[in-house]
Amino acid sequence: MEEVLTACLAYRGADGLFPDVLDEPGAFREANTAQLLGYAALTGVAGGWLSRSWYDVGADLLAAAARSVDAYGRVTGVSGAPDFERPGTSPEAQACHLLGHAALRRAGAALSAG
């Protein structure tokens, strides 16, 4: 997993987000990849199969995506439902937001316990 995370992070922009199509710099910027990679990093830290250094990376990825949450709590600027071809919102992005923040809490608890 560390190899995959490291490879994906190479495509991260200054805003902390990624192109919709990872290896296409001209694709629109979207927040869900940051949420998914943050979830993976933090789940690895919580599970003990990634080093604690990934906690900061995962937390930073979630923070970058959180800047796309609107006043209604919707994650915006993600591949939008129903066709995922342009920026918008989606139930999938909302689920990833919740999963990412649950992983952040689990990883934090694991680090404080250990």
Side-chain angles (χ1 to χ4, degrees):
M1 176 54 75
E2 189 168 6
E3 192 173 309
V4 172
L5 287 167
T6 300
C8 290
L9 288 173
Y11 296 99
R12 191 174 188 201
D15 60 357
L17 303 179
F18 297 84
D20 177 54
V21 178
L22 204 57
D23 63 348
E24 287 187 22
F28 68 86
R29 311 290 297 161
E30 69 93 34
N32 207 37
T33 301
Q35 295 187 130
L36 290 166
L37 294 175
Y39 169 78
L42 293 164
T43 297
V45 171
W49 41 272
L50 283 177
S51 70
R52 68 182 299 124
S53 65
W54 284 99
Y55 178 86
D56 291 335
V57 174
D60 191 56
L61 287 162
L62 292 182
R67 292 190 288 272
S68 296
V69 175
D70 69 12
Y72 299 105
R74 296 176 300 194
V75 183
T76 64
V78 297
S79 296
D83 57 16
F84 305 99
E85 293 179 358
R86 62 190 65 65
T89 62
S90 72
E92 293 84 356
Q94 292 305 121
C96 291
H97 181 75
L98 296 173
L99 287 168
H101 285 277
L104 180 64
R105 284 190 299 279
R106 284 193 314 276
L111 292 177
S112 66

